């Protein structure tokens, strides 16, 4: 509980480099001005002028960018802005790389290069973590550096609650986040997002909000992606057929998130799911958890049940299940917690420990041969969580690879895509999706990621394969 004082007592600032200057990074820029113990040495964006503009918008003075290179920025306490991420990752002054691009293919390359150059990484691009977070965790461990989720995003905050409950000796029954969800939102596109979200176009433009990114939240993709990250970090299970999104307020969570056999929605104890703030007929539920996170745990003895009762803890009707929650997450405004935790305590704020869950691509409409998939938040597919064992068995296409992919066969509305029905994604800048698969999984085929026998067939540098338990492990 002394992270603030430890940060202020550092003899020199924690030096960081940021890749991607969008909404998350801009929120952190606003806070970084007030934290002298953190020095943003460099910021990289494919449009450097946009990065400068965003930083100016939140209060940065132009003089902070008056530097010609990273070395000068480091020595003078300034910030160098460019479009050269490799130079940033390679520079010896940087302690931590913060990956904020939102592009899973690019993010994996940035993470792997950072590990190679002995840099710790905070990966804001949870899409990459959902695709291959456990592999990235092991690659970081092999390199002797830290790989971490970003504090401020809901996965890290949820896993913090899970860690609290388990450290206190409680059995975790379920954990997750909140969301505004109605079934027809799954078909939403960037053209419809603001009306559903509850913002005017003027408000969205004022905040420089990306409609495709926000639509990924609305259509269920981001809740699924983040639930995958939670499951794979906290060793929880995924629902068999995707998130259920039961409707309820905060006090309803213990009643909703208990086993079906006891009146709840869970297939088993120890699962992830998401609570909706809307009733099925579209009515707002009071005191909701839309922007927050929660964990449900149980009293497994009569004494604990009595304690809950004596201290007037809100429980389910049986008095057995209760929850702890954090009603708000502040996204990039909270990133300094991850930076300080890594820079001072050498501790990640959450990282994948297993491969229990996967986020797969689901057609939003009937798709024709030759159509190009446009990834999360777009017009063609949304993401859905599935158990990793199911995804492996059926060769499902990960949402993280469902971008710039040409379909080889027609797909019906609501159908899960398989990697055999889509062509190989083209190159993204200097890195193709095939290279990501080669580096992380040892083959350019998505089938390698989903194969259970490839270790016996090929000489792989890394591969996903089932363990003796329900979890999936990465064999290096």
């Amino acid at each position: 509980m002394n992270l603030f004082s430890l940060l202020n007592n550092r003899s020199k600032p924690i030096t960081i480099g940021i890749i991607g200057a969008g909404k998350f990074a801009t929120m952190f820029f606003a806070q970084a001005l007030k934290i002298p113990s953190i020095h943003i040495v460099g910021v990289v964006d494919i449009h450097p002028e946009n990065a400068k503009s965003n930083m100016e918008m939140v209060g940065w003075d132009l003089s902070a960018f008056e530097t010609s290179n990273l070395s000068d920025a480091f020595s003078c306490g300034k910030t160098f802005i460019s479009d050269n991420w490799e130079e940033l990752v390679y520079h010896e002054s940087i302690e931590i790389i913060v990956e904020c691009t939102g592009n899973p293919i690019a993010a994996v390359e940035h993470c792997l290069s950072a590990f190679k150059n002995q840099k710790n990484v905070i990966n804001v691009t949870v899409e990459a973590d959902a695709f291959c977070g456990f592999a990235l965790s092991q690659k970081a461990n092999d390199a002797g550096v830290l790989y971490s989720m970003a504090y401020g995003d809901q996965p890290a905050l949820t896993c913090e609650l899970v860690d609290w409950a388990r450290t206190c000796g409680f059995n975790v029954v379920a954990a997750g986040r909140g969301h505004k969800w109605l079934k027809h939102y799954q078909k939403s596109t960037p053209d419809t997002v603001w009306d559903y979200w509850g913002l005017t176009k003027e408000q969205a433009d004022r905040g420089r909000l990306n409609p495709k990114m926000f639509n990924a939240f609305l259509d269920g993709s981001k809740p699924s992606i983040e639930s995958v990250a939670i499951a794979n970090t906290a060793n929880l299970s995924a629902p068999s057929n995707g998130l259920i999104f039961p409707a309820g307020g905060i006090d309803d969570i213990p009643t909703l998130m208990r086993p079906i056999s006891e009146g709840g929605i869970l297939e088993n104890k120890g699962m992830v799911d998401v609570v909706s703030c809307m009733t099925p007929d579209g009515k707002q539920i009071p005191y909701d958890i839309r922007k927050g996170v929660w964990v449900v745990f149980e009293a497994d003895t009569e004494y604990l049940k009595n304690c809950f009762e004596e201290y007037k803890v809100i429980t389910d009707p049986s008095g057995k299940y209760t929850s702890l929650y954090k009603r708000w997450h502040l996204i990039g405004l909270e990133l300094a917690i991850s930076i300080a935790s890594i820079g001072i305590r050498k501790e990640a704020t959450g990282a994948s420990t297993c491969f229990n869950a996967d986020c797969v691509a689901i057609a939003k409409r009937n798709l024709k041969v030759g159509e190009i998939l446009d990834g999360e938040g777009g017009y063609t597919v949304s993401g859905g969580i599935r158990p990793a064992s199911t995804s492996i068995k059926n060769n499902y296409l990960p949402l993280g690879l469902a971008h710039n992919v040409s379909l080889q066969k027609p797909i019906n509305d609501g159908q899960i895509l398989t990697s055999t029905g889509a062509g190989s994604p083209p190159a993204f800048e200097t890195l193709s999706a095939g290279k990501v698969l080669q580096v992380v999984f040892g083959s350019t085929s998505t089938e390698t990621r989903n194969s259970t026998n490839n270790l016996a067939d090929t000489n792989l540098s890394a591969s996903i394969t089932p363990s003796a338990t329900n979890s999936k492990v990465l064999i290096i």
Side-chain angles (χ1 to χ4, degrees):
M1 299 180 186
N2 59 352
L3 198 55
F4 178 67
S5 60
L6 290 173
L7 183 63
N8 286 340
N9 290 334
R10 264 185 64 111
S11 59
K12 59 181 181 179
I14 301 170
T15 55
I16 68 170
I18 296 178
I19 306 176
K23 179 63 174 177
F24 188 102
T26 301
M27 295 178 80
F28 174 63
F29 294 150
Q31 296 300 95
L33 285 169
K34 298 172 279 187
I35 311 174
S37 296
I38 296 175
H39 177 196
I40 304 175
V41 177
V43 175
V44 168
D45 196 89
I46 55 175
H47 302 294
E49 290 305 314
N50 288 351
K52 289 182 181 179
S53 176
N54 286 342
M55 296 174 83
E56 287 182 66
M57 178 179 69
V58 297
W60 285 62
D61 191 274
L62 283 173
S63 62
F65 317 133
E66 292 176 353
T67 180
S68 58
N69 56 64
L70 289 168
S71 295
D72 182 64
F74 171 68
S75 60
C76 297
K78 295 182 180 294
T79 301
F80 181 61
I81 299 176
S82 76
D83 60 1
N84 189 337
W85 70 266
E86 291 174 307
E87 182 182 20
L88 184 70
V89 167
Y90 296 160
H91 202 272
E92 61 184 9
S93 71
I94 306 294
E95 297 177 54
I96 302 171
I97 293 292
V98 182
E99 212 298 328
C100 299
T101 64
N103 184 302
I105 303 303
V108 172
E109 182 179 22
H110 299 156
C111 290
L112 293 173
S113 294
F115 302 157
K116 184 178 180 181
N117 287 275
Q118 292 297 292
K119 302 293 191 292
N120 300 310
V121 172
I122 299 170
N123 186 13
V124 180
T125 304
V126 69
E127 296 84 354
D129 197 84
F131 170 50
C132 58
F134 188 33
L136 292 173
S137 292
Q138 291 206 349
K139 291 289 186 182
N141 185 63
D142 289 347
V145 296
L146 293 172
Y147 170 78
S148 177
M149 296 192 297
Y151 199 91
D153 267 347
Q154 284 160 300
L157 300 183
T158 305
C159 292
E160 181 182 47
L161 292 179
V162 171
D163 188 59
W164 168 87
R166 288 173 174 164
T167 302
C168 291
F170 291 114
N171 179 47
V172 171
V173 178
R177 47 164 286 177
H179 192 53
K180 179 182 180 180
W181 176 257
L182 294 173
K183 182 64 177 176
H184 64 274
Y185 288 171
Q186 190 173 15
K187 309 297 183 185
S188 179
T189 71
D191 296 334
T192 62
V193 62
W194 299 133
D195 286 342
Y196 289 146
W197 192 265
L199 291 176
T200 65
K201 186 177 185 304
E202 290 71 25
Q203 289 172 319
D205 290 343
R206 180 194 64 196
R208 303 184 184 184
L209 306 182
N210 182 332
K212 192 170 185 284
M213 182 191 75
F214 273 76
N215 194 55
F217 285 94
L218 190 75
D219 71 7
S221 297
K222 192 71 82 169
S224 293
I225 289 167
E226 295 193 343
S227 295
V228 167
I230 294 166
N232 292 341
T233 298
N235 195 17
L236 297 170
S237 300
S240 295
N241 295 303
L243 296 171
I244 297 174
F245 294 106
I250 284 174
D251 288 350
D252 299 318
I253 294 174
T255 300
L256 295 170
M257 297 300 168
R258 54 184 179 163
I260 293 172
S261 61
E262 299 179 57
I265 61 98
L266 300 177
E267 300 168 43
N268 304 289
K269 293 180 181 180
M271 302 195 74
V272 294
D273 216 298
V274 173
V275 177
S276 175
C277 68
M278 305 285 284
T279 64
D281 59 357
K283 294 180 181 178
Q284 176 67 43
I285 295 172
Y287 199 55
D288 64 77
I289 194 71
R290 176 184 178 183
K291 297 291 187 179
V293 298
W294 50 268
V295 61
V296 170
F297 51 98
E298 65 178 322
D300 52 5
T301 68
E302 282 300 312
Y303 179 76
L304 290 181
K305 284 181 65 176
N306 293 341
C307 288
F308 288 173
E309 182 179 359
E310 291 158 7
Y311 284 89
K312 304 302 180 183
V313 175
I314 299 296
T315 68
D316 74 311
S318 75
K320 182 178 180 181
Y321 300 104
T322 189
S323 66
L324 192 70
Y325 64 91
K326 189 172 187 177
R327 196 176 182 203
W328 309 105
H329 75 293
L330 300 180
I331 321 158
L333 302 181
E334 299 183 75
L335 179 64
I337 299 294
S338 286
I339 294 170
S341 180
I342 291 174
I344 296 170
R345 294 178 175 159
K346 311 304 179 187
E347 180 182 28
T349 51
S352 293
T353 60
C354 57
F355 183 42
N356 289 349
D358 200 8
C359 188
V360 302
I362 304 171
K364 285 186 174 181
R365 55 178 173 79
N366 292 333
L367 301 174
K368 301 176 182 178
V369 173
E371 284 202 64
I372 305 297
L373 303 183
D374 56 356
E376 66 165 311
Y379 296 84
T380 57
V381 294
S382 62
I385 188 174
R386 293 294 185 276
S389 56
T390 302
S391 179
I392 288 170
K393 179 180 178 181
N394 294 290
N395 205 29
Y396 289 152
L397 180 68
L399 182 64
L401 292 183
H403 186 74
N404 286 344
V405 179
S406 176
L407 291 180
Q408 297 176 349
K409 63 181 181 181
I411 304 293
N412 293 328
D413 183 11
Q415 183 178 348
I416 299 176
L417 283 71
T418 63
S419 59
T420 55
S424 296
F428 174 82
E429 295 184 354
T430 62
L431 183 77
S432 68
K435 183 178 177 184
V436 168
L437 291 165
Q438 178 67 52
V439 173
V440 180
F441 297 107
S443 170
T444 58
S445 170
T446 55
E447 293 180 12
T448 295
R449 175 178 180 268
N450 296 348
S451 170
T452 61
N453 299 313
N454 45 38
L455 283 179
D457 298 335
T458 56
N459 181 20
L460 300 179
S461 60
S463 174
I464 294 290
T465 186
S467 71
T469 67
N470 289 331
S471 298
K472 300 294 176 278
V473 298
L474 184 74
I475 305 299
I476 300 296

